[in-house]
Amino acid sequence: MISRNSRINAFVELGKYLTDPQNTPHLEELAISANRKNNWFTVPNVLKSLSAIGTQYLHPDKLSEWCYTYQEVSNSKKVGVIMAGNIPAVGFHDALAVLISGHTLMAKLSSEDQVILPSLFEVLTQIEPALKDSIQIVDRLNAADAYIGTGSDNTARYFHYYFANKPNIIRKNRTSVAVLNGAETETDLENLGVDIMQYFGLGCRNVSKIFVPEGYDFTKFYESIQSLDQVCLNHHKYFNNYEYNKSVLLINRTPHVDNGFLMITENEALVSPISVLYYQPYHTLHDAKAHLIANADKIQCVLSNESIIENHIPFGKAQTPGLFDYADTVDTMKFLSEL
């Protein structure tokens, strides 16, 4: 097993590669290849994801602080990771955690994301050839000593059954919500629009529901997010979802408002369909907080300008998690360091 410093240095160099303008043509080729395999992965979104990895995860100081927070692994294990594929390279954090902690990664890629991670692994092993033996892309995970799995609530039950006899982290469906107080600025609302629409709303950190004061007027919100219209309307898969969900709302005579690319309707559910945003009015912020606490196991992030709940995130920051922002609040590095 190569030293911790060597592993850190390898990922730092990968970060430099991802953020070096000279490498933009190669990264654009990678993004185009990913888009051919999955139309949801637009070239701008793939490049945005790669840039975030380079700046948020692979910054030298951030990476060193993260790694040295945990004890060094003395006995390397094979860790099977079932990757999600809802947004570009969403499984990178798990891969990074496994490799940086000194374990062997057995990655079962999502059928939706077959291009990006293998390309990043190839660059990484060119930087540090000693890591090649620590990276395996597999179809089956029988030989793994521990598991990290991300999927739907149904697949999570399957994972729990099959991986019950070995250490595991199993993640279920989660979504993100926002709490508004009515005093938000146009910039706040524009940023919230990004939290809702970035990656077409497919990520667990995307806001799918907002809590608003009783009698809230959505006019200012719609005006603030109008600049996002072309991104949505020019994407055929998103627009098909918009037209379908609009038909459902109309046929069912469900009250809603519509700006031509995002429909808003009152609903107590947390997860909304693509192109639809749910809202729920509250009488007091205390009522909204009580609802968040009651559904904490289903919520990934809470976006707000109000300090009504611990660890809320400012508008516009949903899709820029740091190394310590673990999915489902389960400390992946602690789990790996204790194997």
Side-chain angles (χ1 to χ4, degrees), residues 76-95:
S76 177
K77 303 286 187 180
K78 293 181 178 179
V79 181
V81 180
I82 301 170
M83 302 287 188
N86 47 325
I87 64 175
V90 69
F92 182 82
H93 188 280
D94 283 336

Side-chain angles (χ1 to χ4, degrees), residues 86-233:
N86 47 325
I87 64 175
V90 69
F92 182 82
H93 188 280
D94 283 336
L96 169 63
V98 171
L99 293 170
I100 208 79
S101 61
H103 295 297
T104 294
L105 171 68
M106 300 181 68
K108 181 172 173 52
L109 300 177
S110 166
S111 60
E112 303 299 316
D113 192 355
Q114 297 271 328
V115 175
I116 304 172
L117 290 177
S119 297
L120 296 184
F121 295 154
E122 182 178 351
V123 175
L124 181 66
T125 54
Q126 289 173 354
I127 293 168
E128 179 50 83
L131 281 172
K132 191 167 186 178
D133 292 336
S134 298
I135 301 173
Q136 302 174 21
I137 295 176
V138 299
D139 292 323
R140 300 180 64 85
L141 296 171
N142 306 62
D145 302 307
Y147 297 94
I148 299 172
T150 303
S152 67
D153 290 350
N154 286 333
T155 55
R157 286 191 286 270
Y158 171 89
F159 294 159
H160 276 297
Y161 176 79
Y162 280 96
F163 303 150
N165 294 327
K166 293 184 179 180
N168 64 73
I169 293 175
I170 305 299
R171 306 189 186 109
K172 300 179 181 180
N173 276 346
R174 289 209 179 201
T175 192
S176 298
V177 301
V179 180
L180 282 62
N181 64 7
E184 288 77 19
T185 66
E186 289 185 9
T187 300
D188 289 334
L189 296 175
E190 183 180 3
N191 288 336
L192 173 59
V194 173
D195 294 325
I196 296 166
M197 304 302 299
Q198 190 169 346
Y199 303 120
F200 303 108
L202 292 169
C204 64
R205 296 180 69 91
N206 283 111
V207 171
S208 60
K209 178 172 184 172
I210 58 176
F211 294 85
V212 297
E214 292 175 344
Y216 185 82
D217 182 357
F218 286 98
T219 303
K220 184 178 178 180
F221 170 76
Y222 268 149
E223 290 174 348
S224 300
I225 69 167
Q226 191 59 40
S227 61
L228 300 171
D229 63 342
Q230 292 306 307
V231 174
C232 303
L233 297 178

